[in-house]
Amino acid sequence: MMENIKILILLLIFSCNPQESNGHKEDSMLKIEYNFYASSGGEPIYRVLYCDEEVVVENLEHSHTYKGKITKDKIEEIESIISKLKPNNDIETDIILDSWRIELIINGITYYNKTEVTKETLPKDIRQLLYILIKNSTVDINLYDFS
């Protein structure tokens, strides 16, 4: 009987450890999301997602998707850029017709959310981070004019 209890305890210890380490790894995993909305709101037209060395660039309007890997040196550059960014406490944006709204979310926290911007007019670090993520993408993020 005592031998069975020891085996049961060992089984519990070994079965719990991988779950704990996987949960910890997932919590510390960097997740980046850019969303590009038409000024009228609704769902994003374009989305850039980065997680665990993989980047996905989507044109949601035309169901076109690119998936790729980010190199180790670029991951270090991404982490360096992110270390300089500060969360944006003012996440409410004005609705300005005939413009685009760009949103940057890192690990569930909004860092950028502005209307009437283009990729070129984004703040330097936020633009640089975006360009690293979309560099090899076959999905063109075309923030076209509305008029």
Side-chain angles (χ1 to χ4, degrees):
M1 179 71 165
M2 192 64 146
E3 187 68 31
N4 289 341
I5 293 174
K6 287 180 184 177
I7 292 172
L8 181 60
I9 291 173
L10 285 173
L11 285 173
L12 286 172
I13 290 171
F14 286 117
S15 67
C16 291
N17 281 341
Q19 292 171 349
E20 288 173 13
S21 63
N22 286 344
H24 177 69
K25 182 180 178 194
E26 186 175 316
D27 290 344
S28 65
M29 193 178 308
L30 178 61
K31 297 172 188 169
I32 301 171
E33 179 177 352
Y34 278 90
N35 293 303
F36 299 81
Y37 299 88
S39 61
S40 57
E43 295 296 313
I45 305 292
Y46 302 102
R47 177 175 290 142
V48 178
L49 301 168
Y50 169 81
C51 186
D52 195 26
E53 299 179 11
E54 183 174 270
V55 66
V56 177
V57 182
E58 300 173 292
N59 178 330
L60 299 167
E61 190 173 49
H62 298 292
S63 300
H64 185 205
T65 301
Y66 163 83
K67 291 182 181 181
K69 287 281 189 186
I70 300 294
T71 61
K72 293 282 185 201
D73 62 318
K74 291 299 180 185
I75 292 171
E76 290 173 6
E77 192 174 345
I78 287 169
E79 290 171 350
S80 173
I81 292 169
I82 288 174
S83 71
K84 300 175 201 171
L85 298 177
K86 297 197 181 335
N88 180 1
N89 295 327
D90 181 25
I91 59 171
E92 294 296 320
T93 60
D94 296 328
I95 295 177
I96 300 172
L97 297 179
D98 298 335
S99 68
W100 287 88
R101 178 169 64 91
I102 300 175
E103 173 183 62
L104 168 61
I105 301 168
I106 301 172
N107 292 336
I109 299 170
T110 302
Y111 280 75
Y112 187 82
N113 187 16
K114 299 283 183 203
T115 302
E116 203 172 29
V117 291
T118 65
K119 291 183 295 189
E120 293 76 22
T121 61
L122 286 169
K124 180 184 174 191
D125 289 336
I126 292 172
R127 180 179 64 240
Q128 186 179 6
L129 177 60
L130 174 65
Y131 285 155
I132 290 169
L133 296 176
I134 66 172
K135 181 178 182 191
N136 296 318
S137 175
T138 56
V139 175
D140 181 33
I141 298 177
N142 177 17
L143 304 184
Y144 48 81
D145 290 331
F146 292 95
S147 22

